[in-house]
Amino acid sequence: MKHPTFPLYTDRCGFNALLPPRAACAPAKGDITADHVVVGAGYTGLAAARRLAQLQPQARIIVIEAAEIGEGSSGRNSGFASPRDLPSGPGDADRKHADALNRFTEEGWTWLMAPIEEHGIDCGLQASGRIKAAATDLGAKQVSALEAAVKAAGLPHQLWDQSALQERIGTSYYQCALYTEYGYVLDPAALIRGLADTLPANVALHENTPLLSMQRLGNWHLETPSARIAAPSVIMATNAAIRHFGRLRDRLVTIYTYAAVTEALNTKDALQFGSMPVWGLLPSHRLGTTVRRIGQDRLLVRSMYAHERPVPAPRVRETLLSCFHRRYPGLAHIGLDQVWGGTTALTMNGAPWWGQVEEGLYASAGCNGSGIVKGSILGKRLAELVLGRCNQDDVRTVWGLANWVAPEPLRSIGFELIAFRERRLAGLEA
């Protein structure tokens, strides 16, 4: 495709590559009429389709996905999920905002867990807690501030020093970390596969079906390479790719980020991952490196950020290998098995764009790197908005609404300046 309207990845998703092969659903073909069309089969799109099917069991719902399930952005994240949010500060306003967010987060968690439990989706879901770690003095101050907020909210937590981290996760790279109980890790590719393969009977999923164009002529008319689909309502769950269709161009920025999974370690080497059999570590700085244990014998490392364009593969591999070896110098003989990139959509103020775009067209975009539970609740609520069962202001009051982003070339210049500053601040957190 000369000008792709979706993230066109040239690498294989590492999580997906480690799973058994899966047969993709057939692409959409011919003339199709539906009650609702969902564009994008990620967490948001599948949650919306499932909710539409639940509320309108007689409706015909079409989901189109540009790639294969598991190879899109949803399968390419780090696989962290939590049933609750932590307060950002110790004040009453911060706690009240966290409480408001948690009402949605808990609803999203419940909605996500329902099909997992009903269909026995094996996605490696395990309670891990949440480790927020600092490798720098600035990071340590941020961890201390988070501890104060968590303590003020009365949430169970532990503050770990360097020796405690060495014992638990096998590295002395970090000065300190805050451990809280509310965290899970999972295999995101296995999860999105399971959610796609267990959709209700009145939902038809078509993979390898990129949307090429859409226009409203009474109903919405969508064109794909081999189909023409008509429906009165369309949900766009494509994150920043919605910009390719002339919507939200001034609200969203596409960011590439990268991850790798190490080679499988032997039993002796795997002891260097510490005494905790399951753990995931988030950096104190937003441009820092995320690390988590995968099974008993692998480590995932996620780092690097690029604006709008991917980074050359050799540089990605070299950087991620360095991130891994700096944290585990005793494993310098271990290489990387899988290396891949993925996109996410950022907004200037960290709020998503969510709601009705125009008559019959709805969208949720700008997940800001937090997609599994957040995407699930935003998709569920978007389906309810389509059917008149949700107040748009309820969601926007809690999460806000993505604000204006400067046009090019100011956008790219601004990103590079901010990224340069943030990389310097991140220091050893990267």
Side-chain angles (χ1 to χ4, degrees):
M1 189 178 299
K2 188 175 180 181
H3 298 291
T5 56
F6 61 98
L8 191 60
Y9 299 118
T10 58
D11 50 19
R12 184 92 192 273
C13 170
F15 280 114
N16 207 32
L18 294 173
L19 292 173
R22 169 188 171 275
C25 296
K29 292 184 179 181
D31 293 320
I32 301 172
T33 301
D35 297 294
H36 308 283
V37 178
V38 178
V39 183
Y43 300 112
T44 302
L46 295 184
R50 194 178 297 273
R51 185 58 169 160
L52 287 171
Q54 183 185 70
L55 295 175
Q56 289 191 333
Q58 304 306 315
R60 187 181 188 191
I61 300 157
I62 303 293
V63 179
I64 59 173
E65 166 58 37
E68 291 186 9
I69 299 296
E71 285 297 325
S73 298
S74 292
R76 292 170 180 264
N77 69 50
S78 297
F80 287 79
S82 177
R84 70 167 298 140
D85 295 284
L86 298 178
S88 57
D92 289 340
D94 292 310
R95 288 198 298 275
K96 287 179 181 178
H97 185 245
D99 288 343
L101 280 176
N102 277 324
R103 287 193 288 273
F104 282 98
T105 301
E106 289 166 4
E107 182 181 340
W109 179 261
T110 300
W111 182 250
L112 177 67
M113 290 302 298
I116 292 176
E117 294 173 350
E118 179 183 355
H119 301 287
I121 297 173
D122 183 6
C123 60
L125 181 69
Q126 293 179 285
S128 62
R130 183 159 41 182
I131 302 170
K132 192 81 164 181
T136 63
D137 291 341
L138 178 60
K141 290 179 181 178
Q142 293 168 336
V143 167
S144 179
L146 180 60
E147 182 195 19
V150 168
K151 184 181 293 185
L155 301 177
H157 64 280
Q158 300 174 29
L159 186 64
W160 294 346
D161 61 14
Q162 191 175 53
S163 62
L165 282 163
Q166 172 77 57
E167 191 276 325
R168 288 171 171 83
I169 66 172
T171 178
S172 59
Y173 187 83
Y174 300 95
Q175 293 184 20
C176 62
L178 185 72
Y179 173 82
T180 51
E181 297 178 356
Y182 304 103
Y184 289 77
V185 292
L186 53 83
D187 183 326
L191 174 58
I192 201 67
R193 281 187 181 194
L195 293 174
D197 293 341
T198 58
L199 286 169
N202 61 326
V203 179
L205 170 63
H206 298 285
E207 298 174 58
N208 296 307
T209 304
L211 176 63
L212 301 180
S213 65
M214 63 180 184
Q215 59 179 328
R216 189 169 180 272
L217 301 169
N219 283 336
W220 282 95
H221 294 263
L222 287 68
E223 182 183 358
T224 76
S226 56
R228 293 164 300 279
I229 307 170
S233 76
V234 175
I235 289 178
M236 295 293 288
T238 61
N239 236 339
I242 191 174
R243 298 181 305 169
H244 295 295
F245 305 98
R247 276 79 176 180
L248 309 185
R249 287 177 174 172
D250 60 350
R251 302 298 179 100
L252 304 167
V253 174
T254 297
I255 298 296
Y256 284 80
T257 186
Y258 296 89
V261 169
T262 66
E263 300 167 343
L265 277 62
N266 62 38
T267 303
K268 181 180 178 182
D269 283 337
L271 292 174
Q272 295 197 46
F273 290 159
S275 63
M276 293 179 66
V278 181
W279 57 266
L281 181 149
L282 296 168
S284 58
H285 192 279
R286 61 181 177 175
L287 293 191
T289 295
T290 297
V291 187
R292 61 165 282 206
R293 189 168 186 170
I294 305 291
Q296 294 302 306
D297 59 356
R298 295 178 188 263
L299 203 73
L300 175 136
V301 180
R302 190 190 76 176
S303 195
M304 301 184 67
Y305 296 85
H307 175 240
E308 297 292 350
R309 296 181 179 179
V311 177
R315 180 183 160 201
V316 171
R317 179 174 286 272
E318 178 184 2
T319 300
L320 294 179
L321 190 62
S322 173
C323 290
F324 166 46
H325 287 161
R326 281 188 285 117
R327 286 160 176 78
Y328 292 89
L331 297 175
H333 58 289
I334 302 297
L336 303 178
D337 183 14
Q338 305 286 335
V339 180
W340 68 95
T343 63
T344 189
L346 298 189
T347 61
M348 289 298 293
N349 59 346
W353 201 100
W354 182 93
Q356 185 172 6
V357 181
E358 54 190 89
E359 187 176 351
L361 182 65
Y362 303 80
S364 180
C367 68
N368 290 281
S370 178
I372 297 179
V373 177
K374 186 176 181 180
S376 297
I377 181 57
L378 290 178
K380 174 181 179 289
R381 286 296 187 106
L382 198 58
E384 293 168 358
L385 181 66
V386 170
L387 300 180
R389 302 195 184 195
C390 175
N391 187 324
Q392 186 166 262
D393 292 337
D394 288 346
V395 174
R396 291 182 173 181
T397 298
V398 172
W399 263 299
L401 186 67
N403 57 13
W404 180 79
V405 180
E408 296 291 359
L410 296 177
R411 180 182 302 185
S412 292
I413 294 170
F415 176 84
E416 293 302 329
L417 290 173
I418 293 170
F420 176 76
R421 175 180 178 273
E422 292 298 318
R423 280 193 293 266
R424 293 194 64 180
L425 289 174
L428 292 175
E429 308 292 356

mmCIF file of all heavy atoms in Angstrom, residues 380-409:
data_model
loop_
_atom_site.group_PDB
_atom_site.id
_atom_site.type_symbol
_atom_site.label_atom_id
_atom_site.label_comp_id
_atom_site.label_asym_id
_atom_site.label_seq_id
_atom_site.Cartn_x
_atom_site.Cartn_y
_atom_site.Cartn_z
ATOM 1 N N LYS A 380 -16.100 0.269 25.929
ATOM 2 C CA LYS A 380 -17.421 -0.088 26.471
ATOM 3 C C LYS A 380 -18.316 1.144 26.540
ATOM 4 O O LYS A 380 -19.481 1.123 26.101
ATOM 5 C CB LYS A 380 -17.256 -0.696 27.857
ATOM 6 C CG LYS A 380 -18.571 -0.971 28.595
ATOM 7 C CD LYS A 380 -18.304 -1.561 29.968
ATOM 8 C CE LYS A 380 -19.610 -1.828 30.742
ATOM 9 N NZ LYS A 380 -20.271 -0.596 31.178
ATOM 10 N N ARG A 381 -17.786 2.226 27.115
ATOM 11 C CA ARG A 381 -18.591 3.434 27.263
ATOM 12 C C ARG A 381 -18.915 4.077 25.909
ATOM 13 O O ARG A 381 -19.963 4.702 25.750
ATOM 14 C CB ARG A 381 -17.857 4.427 28.158
ATOM 15 C CG ARG A 381 -17.851 4.066 29.647
ATOM 16 C CD ARG A 381 -19.267 4.080 30.208
ATOM 17 N NE ARG A 381 -19.304 3.899 31.648
ATOM 18 C CZ ARG A 381 -19.560 4.875 32.530
ATOM 19 N NH1 ARG A 381 -19.782 6.102 32.094
ATOM 20 N NH2 ARG A 381 -19.595 4.625 33.814
ATOM 21 N N LEU A 382 -18.015 3.928 24.933
ATOM 22 C CA LEU A 382 -18.286 4.496 23.619
ATOM 23 C C LEU A 382 -19.465 3.781 22.954
ATOM 24 O O LEU A 382 -20.314 4.417 22.316
ATOM 25 C CB LEU A 382 -17.042 4.406 22.737
ATOM 26 C CG LEU A 382 -17.011 5.323 21.502
ATOM 27 C CD1 LEU A 382 -17.150 6.782 21.890
ATOM 28 C CD2 LEU A 382 -15.723 5.105 20.722
ATOM 29 N N ALA A 383 -19.525 2.460 23.109
ATOM 30 C CA ALA A 383 -20.674 1.719 22.590
ATOM 31 C C ALA A 383 -21.964 2.196 23.260
ATOM 32 O O ALA A 383 -23.011 2.344 22.594
ATOM 33 C CB ALA A 383 -20.472 0.223 22.828
ATOM 34 N N GLU A 384 -21.901 2.450 24.546
ATOM 35 C CA GLU A 384 -23.080 2.934 25.256
ATOM 36 C C GLU A 384 -23.462 4.330 24.774
ATOM 37 O O GLU A 384 -24.656 4.666 24.697
ATOM 38 C CB GLU A 384 -22.799 2.930 26.756
ATOM 39 C CG GLU A 384 -22.640 1.523 27.317
ATOM 40 C CD GLU A 384 -22.085 1.486 28.730
ATOM 41 O OE1 GLU A 384 -21.774 2.569 29.289
ATOM 42 O OE2 GLU A 384 -21.958 0.386 29.279
ATOM 43 N N LEU A 385 -22.478 5.158 24.440
ATOM 44 C CA LEU A 385 -22.765 6.490 23.911
ATOM 45 C C LEU A 385 -23.470 6.389 22.565
ATOM 46 O O LEU A 385 -24.430 7.121 22.293
ATOM 47 C CB LEU A 385 -21.460 7.280 23.768
ATOM 48 C CG LEU A 385 -21.593 8.711 23.246
ATOM 49 C CD1 LEU A 385 -22.349 9.582 24.246
ATOM 50 C CD2 LEU A 385 -20.220 9.315 22.952
ATOM 51 N N VAL A 386 -23.019 5.469 21.714
ATOM 52 C CA VAL A 386 -23.645 5.260 20.404
ATOM 53 C C VAL A 386 -25.126 4.945 20.568
ATOM 54 O O VAL A 386 -25.973 5.425 19.797
ATOM 55 C CB VAL A 386 -22.940 4.111 19.645
ATOM 56 C CG1 VAL A 386 -23.722 3.708 18.408
ATOM 57 C CG2 VAL A 386 -21.517 4.509 19.274
ATOM 58 N N LEU A 387 -25.461 4.155 21.587
ATOM 59 C CA LEU A 387 -26.843 3.710 21.793
ATOM 60 C C LEU A 387 -27.620 4.608 22.748
ATOM 61 O O LEU A 387 -28.722 4.266 23.194
ATOM 62 C CB LEU A 387 -26.844 2.270 22.305
ATOM 63 C CG LEU A 387 -26.182 1.250 21.377
ATOM 64 C CD1 LEU A 387 -26.232 -0.142 21.988
ATOM 65 C CD2 LEU A 387 -26.841 1.255 20.001
ATOM 66 N N GLY A 388 -27.035 5.761 23.103
ATOM 67 C CA GLY A 388 -27.733 6.707 23.959
ATOM 68 C C GLY A 388 -27.823 6.294 25.407
ATOM 69 O O GLY A 388 -28.728 6.749 26.127
ATOM 70 N N ARG A 389 -26.891 5.445 25.853
ATOM 71 C CA ARG A 389 -26.927 4.962 27.238
ATOM 72 C C ARG A 389 -25.759 5.468 28.063
ATOM 73 O O ARG A 389 -25.456 4.919 29.122
ATOM 74 C CB ARG A 389 -26.931 3.432 27.245
ATOM 75 C CG ARG A 389 -28.107 2.833 26.482
ATOM 76 C CD ARG A 389 -28.288 1.382 26.808
ATOM 77 N NE ARG A 389 -29.347 0.755 26.035
ATOM 78 C CZ ARG A 389 -29.885 -0.413 26.326
ATOM 79 N NH1 ARG A 389 -29.448 -1.098 27.376
ATOM 80 N NH2 ARG A 389 -30.844 -0.916 25.566
ATOM 81 N N CYS A 390 -25.082 6.483 27.583
ATOM 82 C CA CYS A 390 -23.939 7.038 28.310
ATOM 83 C C CYS A 390 -23.901 8.536 28.061
ATOM 84 O O CYS A 390 -24.167 8.991 26.944
ATOM 85 C CB CYS A 390 -22.639 6.383 27.836
ATOM 86 S SG CYS A 390 -21.126 7.068 28.561
ATOM 87 N N ASN A 391 -23.565 9.282 29.092
ATOM 88 C CA ASN A 391 -23.418 10.726 28.970
ATOM 89 C C ASN A 391 -21.967 11.041 28.622
ATOM 90 O O ASN A 391 -21.056 10.660 29.342
ATOM 91 C CB ASN A 391 -23.813 11.404 30.295
ATOM 92 C CG ASN A 391 -23.851 12.909 30.182
ATOM 93 O OD1 ASN A 391 -23.057 13.514 29.486
ATOM 94 N ND2 ASN A 391 -24.800 13.523 30.873
ATOM 95 N N GLN A 392 -21.772 11.718 27.506
ATOM 96 C CA GLN A 392 -20.427 12.050 27.056
ATOM 97 C C GLN A 392 -19.652 12.841 28.107
ATOM 98 O O GLN A 392 -18.447 12.647 28.296
ATOM 99 C CB GLN A 392 -20.510 12.853 25.751
ATOM 100 C CG GLN A 392 -19.186 13.135 25.090
ATOM 101 C CD GLN A 392 -19.373 13.618 23.656
ATOM 102 O OE1 GLN A 392 -19.262 12.835 22.736
ATOM 103 N NE2 GLN A 392 -19.664 14.901 23.484
ATOM 104 N N ASP A 393 -20.331 13.724 28.825
ATOM 105 C CA ASP A 393 -19.664 14.569 29.814
ATOM 106 C C ASP A 393 -19.147 13.770 31.005
ATOM 107 O O ASP A 393 -18.191 14.185 31.665
ATOM 108 C CB ASP A 393 -20.606 15.666 30.297
ATOM 109 C CG ASP A 393 -20.902 16.680 29.197
ATOM 110 O OD1 ASP A 393 -20.082 16.792 28.265
ATOM 111 O OD2 ASP A 393 -21.954 17.351 29.275
ATOM 112 N N ASP A 394 -19.777 12.624 31.325
ATOM 113 C CA ASP A 394 -19.320 11.825 32.458
ATOM 114 C C ASP A 394 -17.876 11.377 32.262
ATOM 115 O O ASP A 394 -17.057 11.428 33.190
ATOM 116 C CB ASP A 394 -20.219 10.588 32.629
ATOM 117 C CG ASP A 394 -21.593 10.939 33.151
ATOM 118 O OD1 ASP A 394 -21.769 12.080 33.621
ATOM 119 O OD2 ASP A 394 -22.489 10.088 33.081
ATOM 120 N N VAL A 395 -17.558 10.934 31.054
ATOM 121 C CA VAL A 395 -16.206 10.467 30.763
ATOM 122 C C VAL A 395 -15.245 11.638 30.656
ATOM 123 O O VAL A 395 -14.140 11.619 31.212
ATOM 124 C CB VAL A 395 -16.196 9.626 29.474
ATOM 125 C CG1 VAL A 395 -14.778 9.259 29.067
ATOM 126 C CG2 VAL A 395 -17.036 8.371 29.658
ATOM 127 N N ARG A 396 -15.649 12.666 29.952
ATOM 128 C CA ARG A 396 -14.750 13.797 29.735
ATOM 129 C C ARG A 396 -14.443 14.561 31.019
ATOM 130 O O ARG A 396 -13.365 15.135 31.165
ATOM 131 C CB ARG A 396 -15.353 14.740 28.694
ATOM 132 C CG ARG A 396 -15.377 14.134 27.285
ATOM 133 C CD ARG A 396 -15.925 15.112 26.264
ATOM 134 N NE ARG A 396 -15.806 14.601 24.909
ATOM 135 C CZ ARG A 396 -16.187 15.271 23.828
ATOM 136 N NH1 ARG A 396 -16.738 16.492 23.954
ATOM 137 N NH2 ARG A 396 -16.034 14.742 22.619
ATOM 138 N N THR A 397 -15.377 14.581 31.952
ATOM 139 C CA THR A 397 -15.136 15.276 33.220
ATOM 140 C C THR A 397 -14.004 14.610 33.991
ATOM 141 O O THR A 397 -13.183 15.286 34.621
ATOM 142 C CB THR A 397 -16.419 15.294 34.074
ATOM 143 O OG1 THR A 397 -17.429 16.014 33.373
ATOM 144 C CG2 THR A 397 -16.171 15.954 35.420
ATOM 145 N N VAL A 398 -13.937 13.284 33.947
ATOM 146 C CA VAL A 398 -12.917 12.554 34.694
ATOM 147 C C VAL A 398 -11.584 12.533 33.958
ATOM 148 O O VAL A 398 -10.535 12.792 34.535
ATOM 149 C CB VAL A 398 -13.394 11.113 34.986
ATOM 150 C CG1 VAL A 398 -12.272 10.290 35.598
ATOM 151 C CG2 VAL A 398 -14.588 11.145 35.916
ATOM 152 N N TRP A 399 -11.613 12.220 32.662
ATOM 153 C CA TRP A 399 -10.359 12.075 31.906
ATOM 154 C C TRP A 399 -9.928 13.356 31.204
ATOM 155 O O TRP A 399 -8.796 13.470 30.756
ATOM 156 C CB TRP A 399 -10.490 10.951 30.882
ATOM 157 C CG TRP A 399 -9.935 9.658 31.367
ATOM 158 C CD1 TRP A 399 -8.637 9.392 31.727
ATOM 159 C CD2 TRP A 399 -10.641 8.435 31.558
ATOM 160 N NE1 TRP A 399 -8.499 8.088 32.131
ATOM 161 C CE2 TRP A 399 -9.720 7.469 32.031
ATOM 162 C CE3 TRP A 399 -11.963 8.051 31.367
ATOM 163 C CZ2 TRP A 399 -10.078 6.162 32.316
ATOM 164 C CZ3 TRP A 399 -12.318 6.751 31.655
ATOM 165 C CH2 TRP A 399 -11.378 5.816 32.127
ATOM 166 N N GLY A 400 -10.837 14.299 31.059
ATOM 167 C CA GLY A 400 -10.525 15.475 30.278
ATOM 168 C C GLY A 400 -10.693 15.190 28.795
ATOM 169 O O GLY A 400 -11.170 14.131 28.386
ATOM 170 N N LEU A 401 -10.283 16.135 27.979
ATOM 171 C CA LEU A 401 -10.382 15.996 26.526
ATOM 172 C C LEU A 401 -9.089 16.500 25.904
ATOM 173 O O LEU A 401 -8.569 17.551 26.289
ATOM 174 C CB LEU A 401 -11.569 16.797 25.991
ATOM 175 C CG LEU A 401 -11.870 16.625 24.496
ATOM 176 C CD1 LEU A 401 -12.355 15.205 24.206
ATOM 177 C CD2 LEU A 401 -12.923 17.644 24.053
ATOM 178 N N ALA A 402 -8.569 15.736 24.960
ATOM 179 C CA ALA A 402 -7.310 16.104 24.311
ATOM 180 C C ALA A 402 -7.383 17.521 23.757
ATOM 181 O O ALA A 402 -8.344 17.880 23.071
ATOM 182 C CB ALA A 402 -7.010 15.113 23.191
ATOM 183 N N ASN A 403 -6.368 18.321 24.048
ATOM 184 C CA ASN A 403 -6.378 19.698 23.560
ATOM 185 C C ASN A 403 -5.563 19.835 22.277
ATOM 186 O O ASN A 403 -5.040 18.863 21.735
ATOM 187 C CB ASN A 403 -5.904 20.671 24.648
ATOM 188 C CG ASN A 403 -4.522 20.339 25.173
ATOM 189 O OD1 ASN A 403 -3.796 19.529 24.590
ATOM 190 N ND2 ASN A 403 -4.132 20.962 26.264
ATOM 191 N N TRP A 404 -5.436 21.033 21.817
ATOM 192 C CA TRP A 404 -4.859 21.343 20.508
ATOM 193 C C TRP A 404 -3.366 21.027 20.466
ATOM 194 O O TRP A 404 -2.636 21.277 21.428
ATOM 195 C CB TRP A 404 -5.111 22.811 20.195
ATOM 196 C CG TRP A 404 -4.581 23.294 18.882
ATOM 197 C CD1 TRP A 404 -5.134 23.106 17.657
ATOM 198 C CD2 TRP A 404 -3.406 24.082 18.682
ATOM 199 N NE1 TRP A 404 -4.367 23.718 16.691
ATOM 200 C CE2 TRP A 404 -3.300 24.326 17.290
ATOM 201 C CE3 TRP A 404 -2.428 24.591 19.538
ATOM 202 C CZ2 TRP A 404 -2.258 25.058 16.733
ATOM 203 C CZ3 TRP A 404 -1.384 25.323 18.998
ATOM 204 C CH2 TRP A 404 -1.311 25.541 17.607
ATOM 205 N N VAL A 405 -2.922 20.482 19.336
ATOM 206 C CA VAL A 405 -1.510 20.220 19.083
ATOM 207 C C VAL A 405 -1.073 21.095 17.920
ATOM 208 O O VAL A 405 -1.780 21.187 16.902
ATOM 209 C CB VAL A 405 -1.266 18.734 18.730
ATOM 210 C CG1 VAL A 405 0.217 18.484 18.471
ATOM 211 C CG2 VAL A 405 -1.752 17.829 19.853
ATOM 212 N N ALA A 406 0.091 21.719 18.042
ATOM 213 C CA ALA A 406 0.586 22.601 16.980
ATOM 214 C C ALA A 406 0.780 21.841 15.677
ATOM 215 O O ALA A 406 1.124 20.654 15.687
ATOM 216 C CB ALA A 406 1.911 23.234 17.409
ATOM 217 N N PRO A 407 0.570 22.482 14.536
ATOM 218 C CA PRO A 407 0.768 21.818 13.241
ATOM 219 C C PRO A 407 2.252 21.656 12.925
ATOM 220 O O PRO A 407 3.113 22.233 13.593
ATOM 221 C CB PRO A 407 0.100 22.780 12.256
ATOM 222 C CG PRO A 407 0.247 24.127 12.897
ATOM 223 C CD PRO A 407 0.124 23.874 14.376
ATOM 224 N N GLU A 408 2.539 20.858 11.896
ATOM 225 C CA GLU A 408 3.906 20.738 11.404
ATOM 226 C C GLU A 408 4.315 22.038 10.689
ATOM 227 O O GLU A 408 3.483 22.729 10.126
ATOM 228 C CB GLU A 408 4.020 19.557 10.437
ATOM 229 C CG GLU A 408 3.763 18.208 11.071
ATOM 230 C CD GLU A 408 4.850 17.790 12.047
ATOM 231 O OE1 GLU A 408 5.832 18.545 12.224
ATOM 232 O OE2 GLU A 408 4.716 16.720 12.627
ATOM 233 N N PRO A 409 5.608 22.427 10.757
ATOM 234 C CA PRO A 409 6.725 21.696 11.372
ATOM 235 C C PRO A 409 6.916 21.989 12.856
ATOM 236 O O PRO A 409 7.800 21.438 13.488
ATOM 237 C CB PRO A 409 7.925 22.199 10.565
ATOM 238 C CG PRO A 409 7.575 23.622 10.264
ATOM 239 C CD PRO A 409 6.096 23.630 10.009
#
